[in-house]
Amino acid sequence: MPSCLIVQPIHPAGLALLEQSGIEAVLSDPGAMVAQAPGVAAVITRNAGFTAEAMRAAPDLAVVSVHGTGYDRVAVETATGLGILVVNTPEANVLSVAEHTLALTFALAKGVVSGDRATRAGDDGFKYRARMIELAGATFGIVGFGLIGRETARLAAAIGMRVVGWSPSGRSADLQAAGVEPMASLEALVAESDVVSLHLRLSPSSRHLIDRRMLARMKPGAFLVNTARGALVDEDALCDALAAGDLAGAGLDVFADEPLPTNSRLREHENIVLTPHVAGSTEQALQRMARLAASQVVDVLAGRRPPHIVNPAAWPGRAAAFTAGKP
């Protein structure tokens, strides 16, 4: 019976699918991925990824299945060289992440978290000093226009916001077709927007895309929301901008280091709303991601090409051994 290493917990629906397909689920944790890699045929991981060291320790490994969209913490280049497929679940959490983006936006605009703190502390003066805004009529800037960016744009437009967008791939026609006003550059978007929302993959070119220069171009009183990848933002520069009063606040679901370190400067600012990388963790999305992550493991070990391959150059790679009844 082939085994699948479960690096981080997934919904029971995914575990049940593996069991029904004759694949043993081996529950683990990120710290044990190297030690438990030998002998496994498949891996399902979440934001912990899967390292090159762990891949080299797993001679029978045929597929790393990412429970979610982002695969920046998976050693894709190493996987390709070893003939290991990397797959992800790019559509399963789209609506949940888009909704969470709007939830953070509302929390910032309406002072939900700070108002809760004030109420619990008996601070009746909060209502006289709180700065809250209406979102209808405000400008919502989408940075990146993949599936989640599209859905977020739709939701923002539905509450009456003017939606503008910029994509590094230059998808002006796609933006226009979705009713989003294209911006000529990221600089133009951040200068125009009351809310800047990030929806990009992390890559060498996008790391610290929102840096001191970009933050300085944002409107005074604007909000930054990030439900994509933490390292898209220079966190020290963001803290400095907030401390200087240049921005009204930020809503962050992702961080450069996760879990968020206890000494992170982000914890010091009351005008930052923090959630622990849970935008895609609704019950519905967790079920969809777990099922899709597991079903792609089943496909690969059965010799079938899975639908969402990150590194197509690795197909069929080690999967061919399973089709031939090996190992």
Side-chain angles (χ1 to χ4, degrees):
M1 176 186 290
S3 59
C4 178
L5 187 67
I6 312 297
V7 176
Q8 293 163 291
I10 66 171
H11 194 279
L15 300 177
L17 195 156
L18 293 173
E19 182 181 0
Q20 292 162 10
S21 303
I23 299 170
E24 179 187 10
V26 179
L27 305 183
S28 183
D29 63 73
M33 68 172 71
V34 175
Q36 293 192 279
V40 301
V43 165
I44 295 178
T45 186
R46 295 175 68 168
N47 64 307
F50 205 67
T51 65
E53 182 185 4
M55 290 178 187
R56 295 190 186 102
D60 301 327
L61 181 61
V63 58
V64 175
S65 186
V66 178
H67 177 287
T69 301
Y71 48 83
D72 50 282
R73 294 187 178 180
V74 175
V76 176
E77 185 175 344
T78 299
T80 304
L82 294 173
I84 301 168
L85 281 181
V86 179
V87 299
N88 66 345
T89 61
E91 301 174 5
N93 66 355
V94 168
L95 179 58
S96 291
V97 176
E99 288 182 346
H100 197 83
T101 301
L102 268 293
L104 289 173
T105 302
F106 270 102
L108 291 166
K110 306 303 179 184
V112 173
V113 176
S114 53
D116 175 80
R117 293 190 191 116
T119 302
R120 293 175 188 276
D123 179 5
D124 293 332
F126 173 80
K127 68 176 68 177
Y128 303 114
R129 65 178 186 275
R131 178 191 177 272
M132 295 178 285
I133 65 167
E134 290 184 347
L135 290 172
T139 299
F140 192 92
I142 300 276
V143 180
F145 207 62
L147 294 173
I148 295 172
R150 288 171 184 266
E151 185 63 17
T152 304
R154 183 185 71 82
L155 295 179
I159 61 172
M161 300 189 78
R162 172 198 175 211
V163 184
V164 301
W166 173 82
S167 170
S169 59
R171 299 178 176 179
S172 294
D174 291 346
L175 290 162
Q176 290 174 325
V180 176
E181 182 182 338
M183 303 301 288
S185 64
L186 178 59
E187 290 85 352
L189 181 140
V190 300
E192 187 80 10
S193 302
D194 299 295
V195 180
V196 174
S197 185
L198 306 182
H199 301 280
L200 291 170
R201 287 196 179 115
L202 181 63
S203 67
S205 62
S206 66
R207 183 175 294 274
H208 286 190
L209 186 71
I210 304 300
D211 56 11
R212 293 184 188 278
R213 184 174 65 89
M214 286 297 171
L215 290 165
R217 289 177 176 269
M218 288 179 65
K219 283 183 177 181
F223 300 116
L224 176 69
V225 177
N226 188 8
T227 54
R229 282 294 182 264
L232 295 173
V233 178
D234 181 336
E235 292 175 347
D236 279 332
L238 174 61
C239 288
D240 290 344
L242 290 167
D246 297 333
L247 301 180
L252 307 177
D253 184 57
V254 289
F255 315 101
D257 295 313
E258 295 181 1
L260 185 66
T262 56
N263 63 349
S264 171
R265 292 180 63 198
L266 296 173
R267 296 177 181 270
E268 301 170 5
H269 295 272
E270 290 194 359
N271 53 346
I272 301 182
V273 177
L274 305 171
T275 56
H277 204 151
V278 293
S281 295
T282 62
E283 176 70 14
Q284 296 88 340
L286 288 173
Q287 284 196 41
R288 290 192 294 265
M289 286 187 288
R291 287 182 182 276
L292 183 52
S295 70
Q296 292 191 100
V297 166
V298 173
D299 284 343
V300 172
L301 299 189
R304 298 187 295 268
R305 186 182 177 96
H308 301 293
I309 301 178
V310 170
N311 58 341
W315 173 258
R318 292 180 178 177
F322 288 89
T323 307
K326 303 174 184 178

